[in-house]
Amino acid sequence: MITVPADPFPFAFDPDHVALLCIDFQRDFMEAGGFGESLGNDVSRLRSTIEPTGRVLDLFRRQGWPVIHTREGHRPDLTDLFAAKRDRGNPTLRIGEEGPMGRLLVRGSAGHGIVPELAPVEGEVVLDKPGKGSFYATDLETILRARGITSLVVTGVTTEVCVQSTVREANDRGFESLILADCTGSYFPEFHQSALAMFSAQGGIVGWVGTSDALLDAVPTATAGTAAATTTDEEVGQ
Ligand code: TIU
């Protein structure tokens, strides 16, 4: 077992049963001209997540531990887009409309892709999802159970939207989540802090909250993971 200092108490995981979740590190949320900006957000607020998440990705790749990337988005014909989601708020552009990085939150457009710094590599699962939670209308649970994964290290954007939905769904399914505070981010710093506090409150009602440094320090450099990265037929790349 590997034990990582965390709130509300240390997070212990078996390196043969852990996976890294990288949630929605998409250009549409993190770069100018995307969906996040169309909602009126300052997308530069998410950039600080990239460097520490890159170091955690390197760790998982070095160890041969599984990595799963998610992307929020819709079919080009928008048949999987509820009106309730399309019509929400008062954006300058709606989902499916043409922006500087192609159609907003539509699979296959440039904006839907993951930022180049955190791009998936061969052997990593890329999971497309139409909603905020990564388990909703996807085969994530099947993928995790097929590999015997019980513990998740969670990174991604935004903390109080897609990360929060995902870790709550994971908790209800019996997975234990360590959410990395510096590898998650929000357009609203106060929501980031509140969401993290909600996860670890009440004895870890949703999960554990730690940092990338605490995780990196806790993993012995000589530990060779036995859970070799496996290839699935999921699409890899952008
Ligand atoms: N708007 C916002 O904060 N987030 C989203 O719409 N999706 C994700 O969090 N991925």
Side-chain angles (χ1 to χ4, degrees), residues 162-176:
C162 291
V163 172
Q164 171 148 236
S165 290
T166 298
V167 294
R168 288 178 186 279
E169 289 179 328
N171 177 261
D172 281 341
R173 286 163 176 77
F175 299 100
E176 297 196 318

Side-chain angles (χ1 to χ4, degrees), residues 82-102:
F82 293 127
K85 182 175 180 183
R86 183 193 63 220
D87 298 339
R88 187 63 54 83
N90 190 23
T92 52
L93 287 172
R94 290 196 186 280
I95 295 170
E97 291 181 350
E98 198 71 41
M101 293 189 287

Side-chain angles (χ1 to χ4, degrees), residues 23-24 29 35 39 41 72 129 132 157-158 160-163 187:
I23 300 174
D24 300 359
F29 296 112
F35 178 63
L39 296 171
N41 296 306
E72 181 180 353
K129 64 187 182 66
K132 297 175 177 65
V157 297
T158 62
E160 82 282 11
V161 182
C162 291
V163 172
Y187 303 120

Side-chain angles (χ1 to χ4, degrees), residues 70-154:
T70 71
R71 299 185 297 202
E72 181 180 353
H74 296 276
R75 295 167 181 264
D77 62 6
L78 304 183
T79 46
D80 59 352
L81 176 62
F82 293 127
K85 182 175 180 183
R86 183 193 63 220
D87 298 339
R88 187 63 54 83
N90 190 23
T92 52
L93 287 172
R94 290 196 186 280
I95 295 170
E97 291 181 350
E98 198 71 41
M101 293 189 287
R103 296 177 67 203
L104 260 55
L105 281 198
V106 169
R107 294 173 192 164
S109 71
H112 180 258
I114 293 169
V115 294
E117 299 92 328
L118 303 176
V121 299
E122 183 70 29
E124 295 175 352
V125 173
V126 179
L127 188 103
D128 284 324
K129 64 187 182 66
K132 297 175 177 65
S134 300
F135 290 85
Y136 170 69
T138 74
D139 53 4
L140 177 58
E141 184 169 357
T142 305
I143 290 169
L144 295 175
R145 296 219 190 277
R147 294 179 179 191
I149 304 297
T150 53
S151 301
L152 302 172
V153 172
V154 181

